[in-house]
PDB file of all heavy atoms in Angstrom:
ATOM      1  N   ILE A  46     -64.887 227.760  59.414  1.00  0.00           N
ATOM      2  CA  ILE A  46     -64.016 228.906  59.633  1.00  0.00           C
ATOM      3  C   ILE A  46     -64.713 230.110  59.030  1.00  0.00           C
ATOM      4  O   ILE A  46     -65.146 230.067  57.885  1.00  0.00           O
ATOM      5  CB  ILE A  46     -62.647 228.690  58.984  1.00  0.00           C
ATOM      6  CG1 ILE A  46     -61.970 227.485  59.638  1.00  0.00           C
ATOM      7  CG2 ILE A  46     -61.783 229.924  59.081  1.00  0.00           C
ATOM      8  CD1 ILE A  46     -60.699 227.066  58.983  1.00  0.00           C
ATOM      9  N   VAL A  68     -63.221 229.022  42.869  1.00  0.00           N
ATOM     10  CA  VAL A  68     -62.341 228.808  44.005  1.00  0.00           C
ATOM     11  C   VAL A  68     -61.229 229.837  43.847  1.00  0.00           C
ATOM     12  O   VAL A  68     -60.653 229.971  42.768  1.00  0.00           O
ATOM     13  CB  VAL A  68     -61.735 227.389  43.989  1.00  0.00           C
ATOM     14  CG1 VAL A  68     -60.724 227.220  45.125  1.00  0.00           C
ATOM     15  CG2 VAL A  68     -62.822 226.331  44.051  1.00  0.00           C
ATOM     16  N   VAL A  69     -60.927 230.575  44.901  1.00  0.00           N
ATOM     17  CA  VAL A  69     -59.826 231.536  44.876  1.00  0.00           C
ATOM     18  C   VAL A  69     -58.762 231.012  45.833  1.00  0.00           C
ATOM     19  O   VAL A  69     -59.058 230.716  46.997  1.00  0.00           O
ATOM     20  CB  VAL A  69     -60.288 232.950  45.305  1.00  0.00           C
ATOM     21  CG1 VAL A  69     -59.103 233.910  45.353  1.00  0.00           C
ATOM     22  CG2 VAL A  69     -61.366 233.459  44.368  1.00  0.00           C
ATOM     23  N   TYR A  70     -57.528 230.896  45.341  1.00  0.00           N
ATOM     24  CA  TYR A  70     -56.411 230.415  46.155  1.00  0.00           C
ATOM     25  C   TYR A  70     -55.321 231.475  46.188  1.00  0.00           C
ATOM     26  O   TYR A  70     -54.800 231.860  45.155  1.00  0.00           O
ATOM     27  CB  TYR A  70     -55.875 229.099  45.590  1.00  0.00           C
ATOM     28  CG  TYR A  70     -54.580 228.626  46.208  1.00  0.00           C
ATOM     29  CD1 TYR A  70     -54.403 228.620  47.591  1.00  0.00           C
ATOM     30  CD2 TYR A  70     -53.539 228.193  45.409  1.00  0.00           C
ATOM     31  CE1 TYR A  70     -53.202 228.190  48.149  1.00  0.00           C
ATOM     32  CE2 TYR A  70     -52.345 227.754  45.964  1.00  0.00           C
ATOM     33  CZ  TYR A  70     -52.185 227.753  47.336  1.00  0.00           C
ATOM     34  OH  TYR A  70     -51.004 227.335  47.888  1.00  0.00           O
ATOM     35  N   SER A  71     -54.992 231.946  47.390  1.00  0.00           N
ATOM     36  CA  SER A  71     -53.944 232.953  47.582  1.00  0.00           C
ATOM     37  C   SER A  71     -52.629 232.258  47.903  1.00  0.00           C
ATOM     38  O   SER A  71     -52.509 231.591  48.937  1.00  0.00           O
ATOM     39  CB  SER A  71     -54.323 233.904  48.720  1.00  0.00           C
ATOM     40  OG  SER A  71     -53.222 234.720  49.064  1.00  0.00           O
ATOM     41  N   LEU A  72     -51.652 232.429  47.020  1.00  0.00           N
ATOM     42  CA  LEU A  72     -50.340 231.811  47.216  1.00  0.00           C
ATOM     43  C   LEU A  72     -49.643 232.350  48.465  1.00  0.00           C
ATOM     44  O   LEU A  72     -49.104 231.593  49.265  1.00  0.00           O
ATOM     45  CB  LEU A  72     -49.458 232.049  45.989  1.00  0.00           C
ATOM     46  CG  LEU A  72     -49.906 231.363  44.703  1.00  0.00           C
ATOM     47  CD1 LEU A  72     -49.135 231.910  43.504  1.00  0.00           C
ATOM     48  CD2 LEU A  72     -49.754 229.860  44.808  1.00  0.00           C
ATOM     49  N   LYS A  73     -49.645 233.659  48.645  1.00  0.00           N
ATOM     50  CA  LYS A  73     -48.963 234.268  49.794  1.00  0.00           C
ATOM     51  C   LYS A  73     -49.754 234.102  51.085  1.00  0.00           C
ATOM     52  O   LYS A  73     -49.179 233.912  52.149  1.00  0.00           O
ATOM     53  CB  LYS A  73     -48.708 235.754  49.539  1.00  0.00           C
ATOM     54  CG  LYS A  73     -47.649 236.020  48.491  1.00  0.00           C
ATOM     55  CD  LYS A  73     -47.437 237.507  48.284  1.00  0.00           C
ATOM     56  CE  LYS A  73     -46.484 237.763  47.149  1.00  0.00           C
ATOM     57  NZ  LYS A  73     -46.389 239.177  46.799  1.00  0.00           N
ATOM     58  N   GLY A  74     -51.073 234.199  50.981  1.00  0.00           N
ATOM     59  CA  GLY A  74     -51.910 234.136  52.174  1.00  0.00           C
ATOM     60  C   GLY A  74     -52.222 232.732  52.646  1.00  0.00           C
ATOM     61  O   GLY A  74     -52.767 232.546  53.728  1.00  0.00           O
ATOM     62  N   HIS A  75     -51.906 231.709  51.813  1.00  0.00           N
ATOM     63  CA  HIS A  75     -52.230 230.315  52.143  1.00  0.00           C
ATOM     64  C   HIS A  75     -53.692 230.188  52.563  1.00  0.00           C
ATOM     65  O   HIS A  75     -54.017 229.561  53.566  1.00  0.00           O
ATOM     66  CB  HIS A  75     -51.320 229.765  53.235  1.00  0.00           C
ATOM     67  CG  HIS A  75     -49.876 229.792  52.868  1.00  0.00           C
ATOM     68  ND1 HIS A  75     -48.887 229.457  53.740  1.00  0.00           N
ATOM     69  CD2 HIS A  75     -49.229 230.112  51.723  1.00  0.00           C
ATOM     70  CE1 HIS A  75     -47.705 229.574  53.167  1.00  0.00           C
ATOM     71  NE2 HIS A  75     -47.900 229.983  51.925  1.00  0.00           N
ATOM     72  N   ARG A  76     -54.566 230.806  51.774  1.00  0.00           N
ATOM     73  CA  ARG A  76     -55.994 230.834  52.072  1.00  0.00           C
ATOM     74  C   ARG A  76     -56.787 230.547  50.813  1.00  0.00           C
ATOM     75  O   ARG A  76     -56.376 230.895  49.713  1.00  0.00           O
ATOM     76  CB  ARG A  76     -56.395 232.188  52.656  1.00  0.00           C
ATOM     77  CG  ARG A  76     -57.898 232.301  52.964  1.00  0.00           C
ATOM     78  CD  ARG A  76     -58.230 233.499  53.804  1.00  0.00           C
ATOM     79  NE  ARG A  76     -57.792 233.364  55.182  1.00  0.00           N
ATOM     80  CZ  ARG A  76     -58.450 232.669  56.125  1.00  0.00           C
ATOM     81  NH1 ARG A  76     -59.557 232.044  55.832  1.00  0.00           N
ATOM     82  NH2 ARG A  76     -57.997 232.625  57.357  1.00  0.00           N
ATOM     83  N   VAL A  77     -57.934 229.921  51.004  1.00  0.00           N
ATOM     84  CA  VAL A  77     -58.861 229.602  49.919  1.00  0.00           C
ATOM     85  C   VAL A  77     -60.209 230.238  50.231  1.00  0.00           C
ATOM     86  O   VAL A  77     -60.638 230.266  51.384  1.00  0.00           O
ATOM     87  CB  VAL A  77     -59.023 228.063  49.775  1.00  0.00           C
ATOM     88  CG1 VAL A  77     -60.190 227.704  48.879  1.00  0.00           C
ATOM     89  CG2 VAL A  77     -57.736 227.440  49.256  1.00  0.00           C
ATOM     90  N   TRP A  78     -60.848 230.751  49.192  1.00  0.00           N
ATOM     91  CA  TRP A  78     -62.224 231.235  49.282  1.00  0.00           C
ATOM     92  C   TRP A  78     -63.045 230.434  48.288  1.00  0.00           C
ATOM     93  O   TRP A  78     -62.650 230.284  47.125  1.00  0.00           O
ATOM     94  CB  TRP A  78     -62.330 232.714  48.902  1.00  0.00           C
ATOM     95  CG  TRP A  78     -61.708 233.666  49.858  1.00  0.00           C
ATOM     96  CD1 TRP A  78     -62.332 234.387  50.832  1.00  0.00           C
ATOM     97  CD2 TRP A  78     -60.318 234.050  49.910  1.00  0.00           C
ATOM     98  NE1 TRP A  78     -61.416 235.178  51.487  1.00  0.00           N
ATOM     99  CE2 TRP A  78     -60.174 234.985  50.938  1.00  0.00           C
ATOM    100  CE3 TRP A  78     -59.187 233.686  49.182  1.00  0.00           C
ATOM    101  CZ2 TRP A  78     -58.967 235.564  51.272  1.00  0.00           C
ATOM    102  CZ3 TRP A  78     -57.962 234.250  49.504  1.00  0.00           C
ATOM    103  CH2 TRP A  78     -57.867 235.177  50.547  1.00  0.00           C
ATOM    104  N   LEU A  79     -64.197 229.929  48.714  1.00  0.00           N
ATOM    105  CA  LEU A  79     -65.158 229.318  47.810  1.00  0.00           C
ATOM    106  C   LEU A  79     -66.216 230.378  47.572  1.00  0.00           C
ATOM    107  O   LEU A  79     -66.882 230.828  48.510  1.00  0.00           O
ATOM    108  CB  LEU A  79     -65.762 228.053  48.423  1.00  0.00           C
ATOM    109  CG  LEU A  79     -64.746 226.975  48.835  1.00  0.00           C
ATOM    110  CD1 LEU A  79     -65.455 225.767  49.422  1.00  0.00           C
ATOM    111  CD2 LEU A  79     -63.860 226.589  47.676  1.00  0.00           C
ATOM    112  N   THR A  89     -64.305 230.313  53.637  1.00  0.00           N
ATOM    113  CA  THR A  89     -62.888 230.601  53.478  1.00  0.00           C
ATOM    114  C   THR A  89     -62.135 229.846  54.551  1.00  0.00           C
ATOM    115  O   THR A  89     -62.658 229.628  55.645  1.00  0.00           O
ATOM    116  CB  THR A  89     -62.579 232.113  53.523  1.00  0.00           C
ATOM    117  OG1 THR A  89     -61.187 232.309  53.253  1.00  0.00           O
ATOM    118  CG2 THR A  89     -62.947 232.740  54.845  1.00  0.00           C
ATOM    119  N   PHE A  90     -60.905 229.416  54.224  1.00  0.00           N
ATOM    120  CA  PHE A  90     -60.123 228.638  55.175  1.00  0.00           C
ATOM    121  C   PHE A  90     -58.648 228.681  54.814  1.00  0.00           C
ATOM    122  O   PHE A  90     -58.282 228.943  53.675  1.00  0.00           O
ATOM    123  CB  PHE A  90     -60.615 227.195  55.252  1.00  0.00           C
ATOM    124  CG  PHE A  90     -60.805 226.519  53.919  1.00  0.00           C
ATOM    125  CD1 PHE A  90     -59.764 225.816  53.315  1.00  0.00           C
ATOM    126  CD2 PHE A  90     -62.026 226.576  53.267  1.00  0.00           C
ATOM    127  CE1 PHE A  90     -59.941 225.184  52.092  1.00  0.00           C
ATOM    128  CE2 PHE A  90     -62.219 225.946  52.044  1.00  0.00           C
ATOM    129  CZ  PHE A  90     -61.169 225.249  51.451  1.00  0.00           C
ATOM    130  N   LYS A  91     -57.816 228.427  55.814  1.00  0.00           N
ATOM    131  CA  LYS A  91     -56.371 228.361  55.630  1.00  0.00           C
ATOM    132  C   LYS A  91     -56.007 226.995  55.058  1.00  0.00           C
ATOM    133  O   LYS A  91     -56.693 226.005  55.313  1.00  0.00           O
ATOM    134  CB  LYS A  91     -55.627 228.557  56.952  1.00  0.00           C
ATOM    135  CG  LYS A  91     -55.772 229.945  57.543  1.00  0.00           C
ATOM    136  CD  LYS A  91     -55.087 230.987  56.714  1.00  0.00           C
ATOM    137  CE  LYS A  91     -53.771 231.397  57.331  1.00  0.00           C
ATOM    138  NZ  LYS A  91     -53.061 232.388  56.540  1.00  0.00           N
ATOM    139  N   VAL A  92     -54.914 226.949  54.289  1.00  0.00           N
ATOM    140  CA  VAL A  92     -54.407 225.711  53.712  1.00  0.00           C
ATOM    141  C   VAL A  92     -52.897 225.644  53.923  1.00  0.00           C
ATOM    142  O   VAL A  92     -52.263 226.647  54.238  1.00  0.00           O
ATOM    143  CB  VAL A  92     -54.737 225.607  52.203  1.00  0.00           C
ATOM    144  CG1 VAL A  92     -56.234 225.479  51.976  1.00  0.00           C
ATOM    145  CG2 VAL A  92     -54.176 226.791  51.432  1.00  0.00           C
ATOM    146  N   THR A  93     -52.349 224.459  53.735  1.00  0.00           N
ATOM    147  CA  THR A  93     -50.906 224.260  53.799  1.00  0.00           C
ATOM    148  C   THR A  93     -50.444 223.803  52.424  1.00  0.00           C
ATOM    149  O   THR A  93     -50.783 222.695  51.992  1.00  0.00           O
ATOM    150  CB  THR A  93     -50.550 223.186  54.850  1.00  0.00           C
ATOM    151  OG1 THR A  93     -51.071 223.585  56.112  1.00  0.00           O
ATOM    152  CG2 THR A  93     -49.041 223.001  54.947  1.00  0.00           C
ATOM    153  N   PRO A  94     -49.693 224.654  51.717  1.00  0.00           N
ATOM    154  CA  PRO A  94     -49.281 224.294  50.358  1.00  0.00           C
ATOM    155  C   PRO A  94     -48.106 223.322  50.359  1.00  0.00           C
ATOM    156  O   PRO A  94     -47.354 223.232  51.326  1.00  0.00           O
ATOM    157  CB  PRO A  94     -48.860 225.632  49.758  1.00  0.00           C
ATOM    158  CG  PRO A  94     -48.398 226.427  50.932  1.00  0.00           C
ATOM    159  CD  PRO A  94     -49.259 225.990  52.095  1.00  0.00           C
ATOM    160  N   GLY A  95     -47.966 222.593  49.235  1.00  0.00           N
ATOM    161  CA  GLY A  95     -46.790 221.763  49.023  1.00  0.00           C
ATOM    162  C   GLY A  95     -45.624 222.653  48.626  1.00  0.00           C
ATOM    163  O   GLY A  95     -45.681 223.872  48.729  1.00  0.00           O
ATOM    164  N   GLY A 136     -53.209 220.422  43.292  1.00  0.00           N
ATOM    165  CA  GLY A 136     -54.614 220.368  43.654  1.00  0.00           C
ATOM    166  C   GLY A 136     -54.818 220.398  45.156  1.00  0.00           C
ATOM    167  O   GLY A 136     -53.860 220.359  45.941  1.00  0.00           O
ATOM    168  N   PHE A 137     -56.061 220.479  45.543  1.00  0.00           N
ATOM    169  CA  PHE A 137     -56.457 220.534  46.935  1.00  0.00           C
ATOM    170  C   PHE A 137     -56.748 219.123  47.428  1.00  0.00           C
ATOM    171  O   PHE A 137     -57.278 218.299  46.691  1.00  0.00           O
ATOM    172  CB  PHE A 137     -57.712 221.397  47.092  1.00  0.00           C
ATOM    173  CG  PHE A 137     -57.557 222.783  46.538  1.00  0.00           C
ATOM    174  CD1 PHE A 137     -58.080 223.120  45.294  1.00  0.00           C
ATOM    175  CD2 PHE A 137     -56.868 223.752  47.253  1.00  0.00           C
ATOM    176  CE1 PHE A 137     -57.936 224.402  44.773  1.00  0.00           C
ATOM    177  CE2 PHE A 137     -56.717 225.041  46.738  1.00  0.00           C
ATOM    178  CZ  PHE A 137     -57.252 225.353  45.500  1.00  0.00           C
ATOM    179  N   SER A 138     -56.423 218.839  48.691  1.00  0.00           N
ATOM    180  CA  SER A 138     -56.699 217.526  49.265  1.00  0.00           C
ATOM    181  C   SER A 138     -56.697 217.631  50.787  1.00  0.00           C
ATOM    182  O   SER A 138     -56.201 218.603  51.353  1.00  0.00           O
ATOM    183  CB  SER A 138     -55.643 216.510  48.820  1.00  0.00           C
ATOM    184  OG  SER A 138     -54.362 216.883  49.282  1.00  0.00           O
ATOM    185  N   PRO A 146     -49.046 216.030  56.536  1.00  0.00           N
ATOM    186  CA  PRO A 146     -48.250 216.211  55.324  1.00  0.00           C
ATOM    187  C   PRO A 146     -46.787 216.445  55.676  1.00  0.00           C
ATOM    188  O   PRO A 146     -46.466 216.937  56.752  1.00  0.00           O
ATOM    189  CB  PRO A 146     -48.863 217.453  54.670  1.00  0.00           C
ATOM    190  CG  PRO A 146     -49.556 218.171  55.773  1.00  0.00           C
ATOM    191  CD  PRO A 146     -49.956 217.126  56.776  1.00  0.00           C
ATOM    192  N   GLY A 158     -49.604 219.118  46.457  1.00  0.00           N
ATOM    193  CA  GLY A 158     -50.845 219.067  47.224  1.00  0.00           C
ATOM    194  C   GLY A 158     -51.012 220.289  48.094  1.00  0.00           C
ATOM    195  O   GLY A 158     -50.095 220.692  48.801  1.00  0.00           O
ATOM    196  N   ILE A 159     -52.182 220.891  48.026  1.00  0.00           N
ATOM    197  CA  ILE A 159     -52.537 222.026  48.870  1.00  0.00           C
ATOM    198  C   ILE A 159     -53.493 221.446  49.907  1.00  0.00           C
ATOM    199  O   ILE A 159     -54.646 221.145  49.601  1.00  0.00           O
ATOM    200  CB  ILE A 159     -53.211 223.141  48.043  1.00  0.00           C
ATOM    201  CG1 ILE A 159     -52.283 223.571  46.895  1.00  0.00           C
ATOM    202  CG2 ILE A 159     -53.594 224.310  48.940  1.00  0.00           C
ATOM    203  CD1 ILE A 159     -52.993 224.308  45.777  1.00  0.00           C
ATOM    204  N   ARG A 160     -52.983 221.239  51.128  1.00  0.00           N
ATOM    205  CA  ARG A 160     -53.741 220.510  52.142  1.00  0.00           C
ATOM    206  C   ARG A 160     -54.708 221.402  52.888  1.00  0.00           C
ATOM    207  O   ARG A 160     -54.398 222.526  53.247  1.00  0.00           O
ATOM    208  CB  ARG A 160     -52.797 219.828  53.133  1.00  0.00           C
ATOM    209  CG  ARG A 160     -51.956 218.735  52.506  1.00  0.00           C
ATOM    210  CD  ARG A 160     -52.810 217.527  52.105  1.00  0.00           C
ATOM    211  NE  ARG A 160     -52.103 216.612  51.247  1.00  0.00           N
ATOM    212  CZ  ARG A 160     -51.230 215.711  51.635  1.00  0.00           C
ATOM    213  NH1 ARG A 160     -50.957 215.593  52.908  1.00  0.00           N
ATOM    214  NH2 ARG A 160     -50.646 214.926  50.763  1.00  0.00           N
ATOM    215  N   GLU A 161     -55.874 220.826  53.106  1.00  0.00           N
ATOM    216  CA  GLU A 161     -56.951 221.497  53.836  1.00  0.00           C
ATOM    217  C   GLU A 161     -57.446 220.530  54.910  1.00  0.00           C
ATOM    218  O   GLU A 161     -57.128 219.344  54.868  1.00  0.00           O
ATOM    219  CB  GLU A 161     -58.065 221.880  52.866  1.00  0.00           C
ATOM    220  CG  GLU A 161     -58.602 220.694  52.090  1.00  0.00           C
ATOM    221  CD  GLU A 161     -59.233 221.052  50.744  1.00  0.00           C
ATOM    222  OE1 GLU A 161     -59.292 222.227  50.390  1.00  0.00           O
ATOM    223  OE2 GLU A 161     -59.650 220.124  50.060  1.00  0.00           O
ATOM    224  N   SER A 162     -58.225 221.011  55.852  1.00  0.00           N
ATOM    225  CA  SER A 162     -58.801 220.131  56.868  1.00  0.00           C
ATOM    226  C   SER A 162     -59.808 219.206  56.193  1.00  0.00           C
ATOM    227  O   SER A 162     -60.276 219.470  55.078  1.00  0.00           O
ATOM    228  CB  SER A 162     -59.497 220.951  57.959  1.00  0.00           C
ATOM    229  OG  SER A 162     -60.719 221.489  57.452  1.00  0.00           O
ATOM    230  N   ASP A 165     -63.059 221.102  55.581  1.00  0.00           N
ATOM    231  CA  ASP A 165     -62.947 221.998  54.428  1.00  0.00           C
ATOM    232  C   ASP A 165     -62.859 221.182  53.139  1.00  0.00           C
ATOM    233  O   ASP A 165     -63.395 221.579  52.107  1.00  0.00           O
ATOM    234  CB  ASP A 165     -61.724 222.904  54.576  1.00  0.00           C
ATOM    235  CG  ASP A 165     -61.862 223.883  55.733  1.00  0.00           C
ATOM    236  OD1 ASP A 165     -63.001 224.284  56.050  1.00  0.00           O
ATOM    237  OD2 ASP A 165     -60.821 224.240  56.326  1.00  0.00           O
ATOM    238  N   GLY A 166     -62.174 220.038  53.193  1.00  0.00           N
ATOM    239  CA  GLY A 166     -62.075 219.161  52.028  1.00  0.00           C
ATOM    240  C   GLY A 166     -63.434 218.646  51.587  1.00  0.00           C
ATOM    241  O   GLY A 166     -63.702 218.510  50.390  1.00  0.00           O
ATOM    242  N   MET A 169     -65.022 221.547  49.743  1.00  0.00           N
ATOM    243  CA  MET A 169     -64.337 221.723  48.454  1.00  0.00           C
ATOM    244  C   MET A 169     -64.794 220.642  47.468  1.00  0.00           C
ATOM    245  O   MET A 169     -65.064 220.931  46.301  1.00  0.00           O
ATOM    246  CB  MET A 169     -62.824 221.657  48.645  1.00  0.00           C
ATOM    247  CG  MET A 169     -62.028 221.712  47.345  1.00  0.00           C
ATOM    248  SD  MET A 169     -62.007 223.316  46.521  1.00  0.00           S
ATOM    249  CE  MET A 169     -60.804 224.160  47.534  1.00  0.00           C
TER     250      MET A 169
END
Side-chain angles (χ1 to χ4, degrees):
I46 298 173
V68 175
V69 176
Y70 170 47
S71 170
L72 294 168
K73 289 180 186 172
H75 301 174
R76 179 167 288 280
V77 168
W78 291 262
L79 303 180
T89 185
F90 49 90
K91 293 292 257 179
V92 293
T93 303
F137 304 101
S138 62
I159 303 161
R160 294 291 167 80
E161 56 205 359
S162 73
D165 293 330
M169 175 72 78

